[in-house]
Coordinates of all heavy atoms in Angstrom, one line a residue:
M1 N 13.7 20.8 -19.7 CA 14.8 20.7 -18.8 C 15.0 19.3 -18.3 O 14.0 18.6 -18.0 CB 14.7 21.6 -17.6 CG 15.8 21.6 -16.7 SD 15.6 22.9 -15.4 CE 17.3 23.3 -15.1
T2 N 16.2 18.8 -18.3 CA 16.5 17.4 -17.9 C 17.2 17.4 -16.5 O 17.9 18.4 -16.2 CB 17.3 16.6 -18.9 OG1 18.5 17.3 -19.1 CG2 16.6 16.6 -20.2
N3 N 17.1 16.4 -15.8 CA 17.8 16.2 -14.6 C 19.2 15.7 -15.0 O 19.3 14.5 -15.4 CB 17.1 15.2 -13.6 CG 15.9 15.8 -13.0 OD1 15.8 17.0 -12.9 ND2 14.9 15.0 -12.7
K4 N 20.2 16.5 -14.9 CA 21.5 16.1 -15.3 C 22.5 16.4 -14.2 O 22.5 17.5 -13.6 CB 21.9 16.9 -16.6 CG 23.1 16.6 -17.2 CD 23.2 17.3 -18.5 CE 24.7 17.6 -18.9 NZ 24.8 18.3 -20.2
I5 N 23.3 15.4 -13.9 CA 24.3 15.6 -12.8 C 25.4 16.5 -13.4 O 26.0 16.2 -14.4 CB 24.9 14.3 -12.3 CG1 23.8 13.5 -11.6 CG2 26.0 14.5 -11.4 CD1 24.2 12.2 -11.1
V6 N 25.6 17.7 -12.8 CA 26.5 18.7 -13.2 C 28.0 18.2 -12.9 O 28.9 18.4 -13.7 CB 26.3 20.0 -12.5 CG1 27.3 21.1 -13.0 CG2 24.9 20.5 -12.9
V7 N 28.2 17.5 -11.8 CA 29.5 17.0 -11.4 C 29.4 15.5 -11.5 O 28.9 14.9 -10.5 CB 29.9 17.5 -10.0 CG1 31.2 17.0 -9.6 CG2 29.8 19.0 -9.9
P8 N 29.9 14.9 -12.6 CA 29.7 13.4 -12.7 C 30.3 12.6 -11.6 O 29.8 11.6 -11.3 CB 30.5 13.1 -14.0 CG 30.5 14.4 -14.8 CD 30.5 15.5 -13.7
E9 N 31.3 13.2 -11.0 CA 32.0 12.4 -9.8 C 31.0 12.3 -8.6 O 31.3 11.5 -7.8 CB 33.3 13.2 -9.4 CG 34.3 13.2 -10.5 CD 34.1 14.4 -11.5 OE1 33.4 15.3 -11.2 OE2 34.7 14.3 -12.6
A10 N 30.0 13.1 -8.6 CA 29.0 13.1 -7.5 C 28.0 12.0 -7.6 O 27.2 11.8 -6.7 CB 28.4 14.4 -7.3
K11 N 27.9 11.4 -8.8 CA 26.8 10.4 -9.1 C 26.8 9.3 -8.0 O 25.7 9.0 -7.5 CB 27.0 9.8 -10.4 CG 25.9 8.9 -10.8 CD 26.0 8.4 -12.3 CE 24.7 7.6 -12.6 NZ 24.6 7.3 -14.0
Q12 N 27.9 8.7 -7.7 CA 27.9 7.6 -6.7 C 27.6 8.1 -5.3 O 26.9 7.5 -4.5 CB 29.3 6.9 -6.6 CG 29.3 5.7 -5.8 CD 28.3 4.6 -6.2 OE1 28.2 4.2 -7.4 NE2 27.5 4.1 -5.3
A13 N 28.0 9.3 -5.0 CA 27.7 9.9 -3.7 C 26.2 10.1 -3.6 O 25.6 9.9 -2.5 CB 28.4 11.2 -3.4
M14 N 25.5 10.6 -4.6 CA 24.1 10.8 -4.6 C 23.4 9.4 -4.5 O 22.4 9.3 -3.8 CB 23.6 11.4 -5.9 CG 24.1 12.9 -6.0 SD 23.4 13.9 -4.8 CE 21.8 14.1 -5.3
E15 N 23.8 8.4 -5.2 CA 23.2 7.1 -5.0 C 23.4 6.6 -3.6 O 22.4 6.0 -3.0 CB 23.9 6.1 -6.0 CG 23.4 6.2 -7.4 CD 22.0 5.8 -7.6 OE1 21.6 4.6 -7.2 OE2 21.2 6.6 -8.1
D16 N 24.6 6.7 -3.0 CA 24.8 6.3 -1.6 C 23.8 7.0 -0.7 O 23.2 6.4 0.2 CB 26.2 6.5 -1.2 CG 27.2 5.7 -2.0 OD1 26.8 4.7 -2.6 OD2 28.4 6.0 -1.9
L17 N 23.7 8.4 -0.9 CA 22.8 9.2 0.0 C 21.4 8.7 -0.2 O 20.7 8.6 0.8 CB 22.9 10.7 -0.4 CG 22.0 11.6 0.4 CD1 22.3 11.5 1.9 CD2 22.2 13.0 -0.1
K18 N 21.0 8.4 -1.4 CA 19.6 8.0 -1.6 C 19.3 6.7 -0.9 O 18.2 6.6 -0.2 CB 19.4 7.7 -3.1 CG 18.0 7.2 -3.5 CD 17.7 7.2 -5.0 CE 18.6 6.3 -5.7 NZ 18.3 6.2 -7.2
F19 N 20.2 5.7 -0.9 CA 20.0 4.5 -0.2 C 20.1 4.7 1.3 O 19.3 4.0 2.1 CB 20.9 3.4 -0.7 CG 20.4 2.8 -2.0 CD1 21.0 3.3 -3.2 CD2 19.4 1.9 -2.1 CE1 20.5 2.8 -4.4 CE2 19.0 1.4 -3.3 CZ 19.5 1.9 -4.5
E20 N 20.9 5.5 1.8 CA 21.1 5.8 3.2 C 19.8 6.4 3.7 O 19.2 6.0 4.8 CB 22.2 6.8 3.4 CG 22.4 7.2 4.9 CD 23.5 8.3 5.0 OE1 24.5 8.2 4.3 OE2 23.3 9.2 5.8
V21 N 19.2 7.4 3.0 CA 18.0 8.1 3.4 C 16.8 7.1 3.4 O 16.0 7.0 4.3 CB 17.7 9.3 2.5 CG1 16.3 9.8 2.7 CG2 18.7 10.4 2.8
A22 N 16.7 6.3 2.3 CA 15.6 5.3 2.2 C 15.7 4.4 3.4 O 14.6 4.1 3.9 CB 15.7 4.6 0.9
N23 N 16.8 3.9 3.7 CA 17.0 3.0 4.8 C 16.5 3.6 6.1 O 15.8 3.0 6.9 CB 18.4 2.5 4.9 CG 18.6 1.4 5.9 OD1 17.8 0.5 6.0 ND2 19.6 1.5 6.8
S24 N 16.9 4.9 6.3 CA 16.6 5.6 7.6 C 15.1 5.8 7.7 O 14.5 6.0 8.8 CB 17.4 6.9 7.7 OG 16.9 7.9 6.8
L25 N 14.4 5.9 6.5 CA 13.0 6.2 6.5 C 12.2 4.9 6.4 O 10.9 4.9 6.2 CB 12.6 7.1 5.3 CG 13.2 8.5 5.3 CD1 12.8 9.2 4.1 CD2 12.6 9.3 6.6
N26 N 12.9 3.7 6.4 CA 12.2 2.4 6.2 C 11.5 2.3 4.9 O 10.4 1.7 4.9 CB 11.3 2.1 7.4 CG 12.1 2.0 8.7 OD1 13.2 1.4 8.7 ND2 11.5 2.5 9.8
V27 N 12.1 2.8 3.9 CA 11.5 2.7 2.5 C 12.3 1.6 1.8 O 13.6 1.6 1.8 CB 11.6 4.0 1.7 CG1 11.2 3.8 0.3 CG2 10.7 5.1 2.4
N28 N 11.6 0.6 1.3 CA 12.3 -0.6 0.7 C 12.8 -0.3 -0.7 O 12.3 -0.8 -1.7 CB 11.4 -1.8 0.7 CG 12.1 -3.0 0.3 OD1 13.3 -3.2 0.4 ND2 11.3 -4.0 -0.2
L29 N 13.8 0.6 -0.8 CA 14.4 1.0 -2.1 C 15.4 0.0 -2.5 O 16.2 -0.5 -1.7 CB 15.1 2.4 -1.9 CG 15.5 3.1 -3.2 CD1 14.3 3.5 -4.0 CD2 16.4 4.3 -2.9
K30 N 15.3 -0.4 -3.8 CA 16.3 -1.4 -4.3 C 16.9 -0.8 -5.6 O 16.4 0.1 -6.2 CB 15.6 -2.7 -4.6 CG 14.4 -2.6 -5.4 CD 13.5 -3.9 -5.3 CE 12.2 -3.7 -5.9 NZ 11.3 -2.7 -5.4
K31 N 18.0 -1.4 -6.0 CA 18.7 -0.9 -7.2 C 17.8 -1.3 -8.4 O 17.1 -2.4 -8.4 CB 20.0 -1.6 -7.4 CG 21.0 -1.1 -6.4 CD 22.4 -1.5 -6.8 CE 23.4 -1.1 -5.7 NZ 23.9 0.3 -5.9
G32 N 17.7 -0.5 -9.4 CA 16.8 -0.7 -10.5 C 15.4 -0.2 -10.4 O 15.2 0.9 -9.8
Y33 N 14.5 -0.9 -10.9 CA 13.1 -0.4 -10.9 C 12.4 -0.4 -9.5 O 12.5 -1.4 -8.8 CB 12.3 -1.4 -11.8 CG 10.8 -1.0 -12.0 CD1 10.5 0.1 -12.7 CD2 9.8 -1.8 -11.4 CE1 9.1 0.5 -12.9 CE2 8.5 -1.4 -11.5 CZ 8.1 -0.3 -12.2 OH 6.8 0.0 -12.4
N34 N 11.8 0.7 -9.2 CA 11.1 0.8 -7.9 C 9.7 1.3 -8.1 O 9.1 2.0 -7.3 CB 11.9 1.8 -7.0 CG 13.1 1.2 -6.4 OD1 13.0 0.4 -5.5 ND2 14.3 1.6 -6.9
G35 N 9.0 0.9 -9.2 CA 7.7 1.3 -9.5 C 6.6 0.8 -8.5 O 5.5 1.2 -8.5
D36 N 7.0 -0.2 -7.7 CA 6.1 -0.7 -6.7 C 6.0 0.2 -5.5 O 5.1 0.0 -4.6 CB 6.5 -2.1 -6.3 CG 8.0 -2.2 -5.7 OD1 8.8 -1.4 -6.2 OD2 8.2 -2.9 -4.8
L37 N 6.9 1.2 -5.4 CA 6.8 2.2 -4.3 C 5.8 3.3 -4.6 O 5.5 3.6 -5.7 CB 8.2 2.8 -4.0 CG 9.3 1.9 -3.6 CD1 10.6 2.6 -3.5 CD2 9.0 1.1 -2.3
T38 N 5.2 3.8 -3.5 CA 4.2 4.9 -3.7 C 4.9 6.2 -4.0 O 6.1 6.4 -3.7 CB 3.3 5.0 -2.5 OG1 4.1 5.5 -1.4 CG2 2.6 3.7 -2.1
A39 N 4.1 7.1 -4.5 CA 4.7 8.5 -4.7 C 5.1 9.1 -3.4 O 6.1 9.8 -3.3 CB 3.6 9.3 -5.4
K40 N 4.3 8.8 -2.4 CA 4.7 9.3 -1.0 C 6.0 8.8 -0.5 O 6.8 9.5 0.0 CB 3.6 9.0 0.0 CG 3.8 9.5 1.3 CD 2.6 9.2 2.3 CE 2.9 9.8 3.6 NZ 1.7 9.6 4.5
E41 N 6.3 7.5 -0.7 CA 7.5 6.9 -0.3 C 8.7 7.5 -1.1 O 9.7 7.9 -0.5 CB 7.5 5.4 -0.5 CG 6.6 4.7 0.5 CD 6.4 3.2 0.1 OE1 6.2 2.9 -1.1 OE2 6.5 2.4 1.1
N42 N 8.5 7.6 -2.4 CA 9.6 8.1 -3.3 C 9.8 9.6 -2.9 O 10.9 10.1 -2.9 CB 9.3 8.0 -4.8 CG 9.5 6.6 -5.2 OD1 10.5 5.9 -4.9 ND2 8.5 6.0 -6.0
G43 N 8.7 10.4 -2.7 CA 8.9 11.8 -2.4 C 9.5 12.0 -1.1 O 10.3 13.0 -0.9
S44 N 9.3 11.1 -0.1 CA 9.9 11.3 1.2 C 11.4 11.1 1.1 O 12.1 11.8 1.8 CB 9.3 10.4 2.2 OG 9.6 9.0 1.9
V45 N 11.8 10.2 0.3 CA 13.3 10.0 0.1 C 13.9 11.2 -0.6 O 14.9 11.8 -0.1 CB 13.6 8.7 -0.7 CG1 15.0 8.6 -1.1 CG2 13.1 7.5 0.0
G46 N 13.3 11.7 -1.7 CA 13.8 12.9 -2.3 C 13.8 14.1 -1.5 O 14.8 14.9 -1.4
G47 N 12.8 14.3 -0.7 CA 12.6 15.5 0.1 C 13.7 15.4 1.2 O 14.3 16.5 1.6
E48 N 13.9 14.3 1.8 CA 14.9 14.1 2.9 C 16.3 14.3 2.4 O 17.2 14.9 3.0 CB 14.7 12.8 3.6 CG 15.7 12.6 4.8 CD 15.4 13.5 6.0 OE1 14.3 14.0 6.1 OE2 16.3 13.6 6.8
M49 N 16.5 13.9 1.1 CA 17.8 14.1 0.5 C 18.1 15.6 0.4 O 19.2 16.0 0.8 CB 17.9 13.4 -0.9 CG 18.0 11.9 -0.8 SD 18.0 11.2 -2.5 CE 19.5 11.8 -3.2
V50 N 17.2 16.3 -0.1 CA 17.3 17.8 -0.3 C 17.6 18.4 1.1 O 18.4 19.3 1.3 CB 16.1 18.4 -1.0 CG1 16.2 19.9 -1.0 CG2 16.0 17.9 -2.4
K51 N 16.8 18.0 2.1 CA 16.9 18.6 3.4 C 18.3 18.4 4.0 O 18.9 19.3 4.5 CB 15.9 17.9 4.3 CG 15.9 18.4 5.7 CD 14.8 17.7 6.6 CE 14.9 18.0 8.0 NZ 13.9 17.3 8.8
R52 N 18.8 17.1 3.8 CA 20.2 16.8 4.3 C 21.3 17.6 3.6 O 22.2 18.0 4.2 CB 20.4 15.3 4.3 CG 19.6 14.6 5.3 CD 20.0 13.1 5.3 NE 19.1 12.3 6.1 CZ 19.2 11.1 6.4 NH1 20.3 10.4 6.0 NH2 18.4 10.4 7.2
M53 N 21.1 17.7 2.3 CA 22.1 18.5 1.5 C 22.1 19.9 1.9 O 23.2 20.5 2.0 CB 21.8 18.3 0.0 CG 22.2 16.9 -0.5 SD 22.0 16.7 -2.3 CE 20.3 16.5 -2.5
I54 N 20.9 20.5 2.1 CA 20.9 21.9 2.5 C 21.5 22.1 3.9 O 22.3 23.0 4.2 CB 19.4 22.4 2.5 CG1 18.9 22.5 1.1 CG2 19.3 23.8 3.3 CD1 17.4 22.8 1.0
Q55 N 21.2 21.2 4.8 CA 21.8 21.2 6.2 C 23.3 21.1 6.1 O 24.0 21.8 6.8 CB 21.2 20.1 7.1 CG 19.8 20.3 7.5 CD 19.2 19.1 8.2 OE1 19.6 18.0 8.1 NE2 18.2 19.4 9.0
Q56 N 23.8 20.2 5.3 CA 25.2 20.0 5.2 C 25.9 21.3 4.6 O 26.9 21.7 5.1 CB 25.6 18.8 4.3 CG 27.0 18.5 4.2 CD 27.3 17.3 3.4 OE1 26.4 16.7 2.7 NE2 28.6 16.8 3.4
Y57 N 25.3 21.9 3.6 CA 25.8 23.1 3.0 C 25.8 24.2 4.0 O 26.8 24.9 4.2 CB 24.9 23.5 1.8 CG 25.4 24.8 1.2 CD1 26.4 24.9 0.3 CD2 24.8 26.0 1.6 CE1 26.9 26.1 -0.3 CE2 25.2 27.2 1.0 CZ 26.2 27.3 0.1 OH 26.7 28.4 -0.4
Q58 N 24.7 24.4 4.8 CA 24.6 25.5 5.7 C 25.7 25.3 6.8 O 26.3 26.3 7.3 CB 23.2 25.5 6.3 CG 22.2 26.1 5.4 CD 20.8 26.1 5.9 OE1 20.5 25.2 6.8 NE2 20.0 27.0 5.4
S59 N 25.9 24.1 7.3 CA 26.8 23.8 8.4 C 28.3 24.0 7.9 O 29.1 24.4 8.7 CB 26.6 22.5 9.0 OG 27.0 21.4 8.1
S60 N 28.5 23.8 6.6 CA 29.9 24.0 6.1 C 30.2 25.4 5.7 O 31.3 25.8 5.5 CB 30.1 23.1 4.9 OG 29.4 23.5 3.8
H61 N 29.2 26.3 5.7 CA 29.4 27.7 5.3 C 29.0 28.7 6.4 O 28.5 29.8 6.2 CB 28.5 28.0 4.1 CG 29.1 27.4 2.8 ND1 28.9 26.1 2.5 CD2 29.9 27.9 1.9 CE1 29.5 25.8 1.4 NE2 30.2 26.9 1.0
K62 N 29.3 28.3 7.6 CA 29.0 29.2 8.8 C 30.3 29.8 9.2 O 31.4 29.4 9.1 CB 28.4 28.4 10.0 CG 26.9 28.1 9.7 CD 26.3 27.6 10.9 CE 24.8 27.4 10.7 NZ 24.1 27.0 11.8

């Protein structure tokens, strides 16, 4: 299975969210290669992105 964006128009929104979350967590994320970051740093960004997307979905479907 590959990670594929189902809605291509959402690609930029996902990138924006990723950088917004990284900034709020004080993770020095940059465009391009980020192999210098730890798995914990990268995981915290991804986890927080999922958390925020779930919260947004739940608040819009009440």
Side-chain angles (χ1 to χ4, degrees):
M1 181 174 212
T2 61
N3 291 332
K4 185 171 153 182
I5 295 181
V6 178
V7 181
E9 299 82 18
K11 186 173 183 169
Q12 188 58 51
M14 292 296 288
E15 282 293 304
D16 294 345
L17 176 60
K18 179 170 63 174
F19 283 97
E20 176 185 324
V21 167
N23 187 46
S24 73
L25 297 175
N26 294 320
V27 174
N28 188 22
L29 190 68
K30 54 198 169 300
K31 291 193 185 273
Y33 181 73
N34 283 288
D36 56 325
L37 298 177
T38 65
K40 183 177 181 178
E41 289 171 316
N42 285 314
S44 67
V45 173
E48 183 66 20
M49 286 175 68
V50 171
K51 180 180 173 184
R52 290 185 188 189
M53 287 185 282
I54 291 170
Q55 287 173 337
Q56 184 177 8
Y57 176 84
Q58 288 176 333
S59 67
S60 69
H61 286 83
K62 284 189 176 186

